[in-house]
Each structure stands twice: as C-alpha cells, then as structure tokens.
C-alpha cells in the first residue's frame, strides 16, 4: 500500500531510556532537536525503568490474582509518570509541549484487560495540539475500552501505541529509542558476538518478536506491515547511530545474496502444560483449545502423542503469565474430558531460528536439529512456519542452544551466512 506521508515524526522512548532524571533530560534534548529541525513531533513514552514490573508485584502482594480491571488502572499510572516528567523536561527547554494519556489521545481498545488490542484512534485532540505548534507526548501501552475503562495493551505495548499512531498520522517513520543500537542477530545481552542488522523485513521481525526477541512487541510489527510504517530502532543515548530499519524488503534489497537465517531468539517465558490420559475421541482438542481461546489465552506449540489403546496425552505451551488465568479452565476441561491429570512444567524454553532465506533452502531444519543433538539438547516439541523453526527444550540449555545455533548458521560473521 502506498502511503502519503506527513511531516510528522513519531519518537518512542522505552522504559530504560527514561529511567533516571538525566536520561529524561537527554530524551528531551533529542525531541527538542527534532522539533527545531522543523517537523511536527509526537512522542510515545513507557513507564520509567522497571516501574511496570514493580506495580505488578505490588498488586500481587495485595492479592495473588488481582482483578484485571483494577490491575490495568494501576499499570497505566506508570506511563503517566513517564509522559509528565518528559513533558516538564521539554518545556524547560522552551519548546511548547503537552502530555496526553492514551484515552486523551483518542486511542480506543477492546475489552481484553491487560492484553487489549487497539481498535481505532480518533486523533482530533492530538492534531489540534500539533496545530498549536506543540510537541505532543502520549502515554504508551494504554487505551479506553468500550466500557470507558482504561485497558493496557500487553507487555511491550508502548511499541504498539507508537506504531499505531504513526500509521494513523501517516508519519514519515516511527523512531524507537531503546537500550540497544538496533535489531541484532540475537539478543546481545545473551550472545555478545551478535551482529547489528542494518535492515530487517516486517515478516522476519514479526517472527523474531513472537519467538521472544522482546525488542519489539509483535503486534506493533503487524500494524507496521499493514500500514507500511517504516520503523527505525536505535540507541536512545547515541544520536549518531544509524540503527536498524524494519521495512517491507528487509535486507533483501541491501545485500547481493540472501542469508538463510537472519536471527535466532530465545523465549524463556513459556510454560508447558500436559493433559494426560485423555480418552481418544473426535472433538477433544476442539473442546480444550476453544475453552482457552474464549478466555483469550494464546496457545503456542501443540503436540499430541500417538494413542495407546484409546488413551492419549496432549501437551501445549502458553506464556507464564497465562498460567493463573488458565488454571480454572484446565480443571473444568480435565473433568469434562475425563483426563487423568494436568501437569505443568516451567523448566522449558523455546529456541527459534528465523530467515526468509529458508524458503529457498532445504536442510535448514535438519541442520538445526543436528546442532542440538550433537550437544545432547533434547527437543520436546517442534513447530515450523515458512520462515521460522522453533523447538521447545529444557530452559537450562536455552542460552547455550542460542549461542550454538548463532554460531552454526554463521551469524557471528560480518558477511553471508554459511550454507546449510
Ligand atoms: P524498551 O524498554 O526500550 O522497550 P526492551 O527491554 O523492551 O526495551 O527491549 C530491548 C531489549 O531487547 C534489549 O535490551 C535486548 O536485551 C532485547 N533483545 C532481545 N532480542 C533482541 C534482538 N534480536 N536485537 C536487539 N535486542 C534484543
Ligand atoms: N511499560 C509497559 C511494559 O513494561 C509497556 C512498555 O514498556 O512498552 O511492558
Ligand atoms: Mg519494550
């Protein structure tokens, strides 16, 4: 889709980029610099530092499974701290600015508390403020649901706020400022030899993000792709960094030959659930997974063992924070399906390799499994898409597996990937 661009720039500062007064002043300096360059500026800010985590643990000290509406009410305050402080810092530099909450910025969300989707944006007030020449600073991660309650957009949701605003405002790009220099071939905090990618495609970034590379929230990439929003990810503290571009073509357009694997990712936020000894009959999987689906619980990998007699086991993975909300559902499905037991295992991790080059190369999965086997890493579950292969393994082997695959697919080298 061809977009007509405005002269609006959306700049998003993540939690680590506003965690101290000095960093807030630094972020303000970057905003002021961009504004003085003549563009209209919309800034999206996250909760400073680890405030969201702290608020969640505070709520859990009151009650282990907090009411979801009230939890959203609490979590949304973190981002309000961020916008107010950054706006003060910008105004102190003699640039007119105003902070807006998600609802004030016209962000409408659906009613899934703590994981709401954006359903639309009515940016009237935001545009009026821009017209007055002000920089507008919007709270990330929040919107107003159909009941006029505050809803939050899932962890990392400020990325979604920023990209959705960039889409609606037809911004020339969405700048994501964070604590790394861009998108790397692996999480640089786990694989020090990871390389910075100058370009990556929406499709690859979406797969990497849903495979656990938390640098971008997956839904923000879906929106960027749908509305062709170019994203640039760079370090908040290094204005000279070129960063990484997330666009439709990715590196295809920029390198002579295509890499087979572009990146690897580790997701340590998974939990494996197994329903044992279920009588094997048609409709049993439908019953289990529709019950979870109705409660908006995302199931990732699924494996059903071959039936012994007419009994079988079914295992699947969900994210750790979904375990609490799924417990009641699992207990009732267990009764209805007459399953023997429900077991959970948190000592698992998902390791994934991602690359558009996989479409044209065979043997990639074989190579991945061999690398794991050669190092006695047992694969518990496998899932594939056209450009991703994921395996569930023991969590204590996750970091090692990530490094081994990064090396085996030649991602540490500055030039091309090794062949399969
Ligand atoms: P912010 O607070 O700015 O939103 P996040 O913590 O959400 O920042 O995301 C940045 C972090 O993502 C980095 O510190 C890095 O450890 C992690 N990360 C995981 N995978 C990757 C990757 N492939 N490239 C870059 N960073 C990654
Ligand atoms: N503050 C929220 C979180 O920690 C949203 C974000 O940072 O993007 O998940
Ligand atoms: Mg983030």
């Amino acid at each position: 889709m061809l977009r007509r661009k405005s002269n609006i720039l959306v700049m998003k500062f993540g939690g680590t980029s506003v965690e101290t007064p000095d960093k807030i002043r630094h972020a303000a300096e970057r905003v002021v610099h961009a504004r003085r360059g003549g563009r209209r500026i919309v800034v999206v800010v996250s909760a400073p530092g680890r405030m969201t985590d702290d608020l969640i643990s505070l709520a859990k000290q009151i009650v282990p499974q907090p009411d979801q509406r009230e939890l959203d009410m609490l979590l949304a305050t973190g981002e309000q701290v961020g916008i107010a402080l950054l706006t003060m810092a910008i105004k102190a530099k003699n640039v007119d600015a105003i902070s807006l909450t998600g609802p004030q910025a016209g962000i409408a969300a659906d009613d899934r508390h703590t994981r709401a989707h954006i359903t639309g944006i009515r940016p009237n007030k935001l545009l009026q403020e821009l017209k007055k020449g002000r920089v507008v600073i919007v709270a990330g991660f929040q919107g107003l649901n159909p009941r006029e309650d505050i809803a939050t957009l899932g962890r990392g949701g400020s990325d979604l706020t920023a990209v959705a605003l960039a889409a609606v405002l037809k911004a020339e790009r969405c700048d994501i400022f964070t604590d790394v220099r861009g998108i790397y071939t692996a999480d640089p905090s786990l694989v020090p030899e990871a390389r910075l990618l100058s370009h990556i495609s929406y499709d690859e970034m979406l797969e990497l993000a849903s495979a656990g590379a938390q640098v971008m929230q997956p839904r923000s990439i879906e929106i960027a792709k749908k509305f062709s929003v170019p994203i640039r990810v760079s370090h908040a503290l290094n204005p000279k960094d070129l960063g990484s571009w997330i666009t439709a073509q990715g590196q295809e357009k920029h390198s002579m030959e295509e890499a087979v694997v572009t990146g690897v990712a580790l997701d340590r936020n998974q939990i494996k659930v197994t329903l044992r000894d279920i009588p094997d009959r048609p409709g049993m999987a439908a019953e289990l997974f529709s019950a979870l689906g109705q409660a908006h619980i995302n199931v990732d990998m699924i494996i059903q063992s071959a039936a012994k007699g007419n009994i079988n086991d079914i295992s699947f993975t969900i994210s750790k924070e979904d375990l609490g909300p799924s417990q009641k559902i699992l207990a009732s499905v267990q009764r209805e399906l007459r399953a023997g037991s429900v077991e959970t295992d948190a000592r698992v991790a998902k390791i994934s390799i991602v690359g558009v080059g996989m479409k044209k190369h065979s043997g990639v999965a074989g190579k991945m499994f061999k690398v794991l086997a050669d190092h006695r890493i047992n694969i518990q579950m496998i899932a594939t898409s056209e450009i991703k292969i994921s395996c569930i393994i023991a969590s204590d082997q996750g970091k090692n597996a990530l490094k081994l695959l990064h090396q085996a697919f030649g991602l540490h080298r500055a030039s091309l990937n090794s062949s399969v």
Side-chain angles (χ1 to χ4, degrees), residues 131-151:
K131 224 174 191 174
K132 291 179 198 158
R134 290 179 168 156
V135 173
V136 182
I137 295 94
V138 180
F141 179 56
Q142 51 178 259
L144 201 65
N145 75 13
R147 285 191 298 275
E148 303 203 341
D149 289 329
I150 293 226

Side-chain angles (χ1 to χ4, degrees), residues 96-127:
D96 201 5
I98 183 169
S99 63
L100 299 179
T101 63
Q104 285 178 312
I107 298 176
D110 64 20
D111 61 1
R112 293 173 235 205
H113 275 298
T114 73
R115 63 190 67 195
H117 287 203
I118 293 181
T119 51
I121 301 182
R122 264 189 244 106
N124 316 17
K125 183 172 170 64
L126 199 160
L127 287 168

Side-chain angles (χ1 to χ4, degrees), residues 12 14-17 177-180 182-184 186-189 213-215:
K12 179 251 168 181
T16 43
S17 313
F177 297 109
T178 182
D179 62 349
V180 286
I183 310 299
Y184 286 76
D187 185 338
S189 70
Q214 103 231 28
V215 58

Side-chain angles (χ1 to χ4, degrees), residues 109-259:
D110 64 20
D111 61 1
R112 293 173 235 205
H113 275 298
T114 73
R115 63 190 67 195
H117 287 203
I118 293 181
T119 51
I121 301 182
R122 264 189 244 106
N124 316 17
K125 183 172 170 64
L126 199 160
L127 287 168
Q128 277 166 18
E129 297 297 344
L130 283 178
K131 224 174 191 174
K132 291 179 198 158
R134 290 179 168 156
V135 173
V136 182
I137 295 94
V138 180
F141 179 56
Q142 51 178 259
L144 201 65
N145 75 13
R147 285 191 298 275
E148 303 203 341
D149 289 329
I150 293 226
T152 63
L153 308 176
R155 298 308 305 267
S158 298
D159 296 332
L160 178 60
T161 306
V163 174
L165 280 172
V168 164
L169 300 170
K170 300 190 169 57
E172 75 175 69
R173 69 168 186 271
C174 180
D175 254 327
I176 303 283
F177 297 109
T178 182
D179 62 349
V180 286
R181 296 176 62 196
I183 310 299
Y184 286 76
T185 48
D187 185 338
S189 70
L190 301 176
V191 183
E193 58 276 22
R195 269 187 317 109
L196 184 66
L197 295 163
S198 61
H199 295 82
I200 184 166
S201 65
Y202 293 129
D203 290 334
E204 288 172 310
M205 190 64 236
L206 181 56
E207 293 283 19
L208 272 181
S210 44
Q214 103 231 28
V215 58
M216 290 299 299
Q217 194 219 33
R219 286 210 316 279
S220 70
I221 305 299
E222 281 170 4
I223 300 283
K225 181 181 176 185
K226 188 165 171 193
F227 295 95
S228 305
V229 179
I231 300 176
R232 196 188 65 172
V233 182
S234 62
H235 202 294
L237 300 176
N238 302 336
K240 291 205 175 101
D241 269 2
L242 298 176
S244 304
W245 285 92
I246 310 173
T247 56
Q249 293 101 347
Q251 62 177 0
E252 241 174 277
K253 206 174 103 182
H254 302 272
S255 62
M256 299 251 293
E257 241 178 283
E258 199 171 56

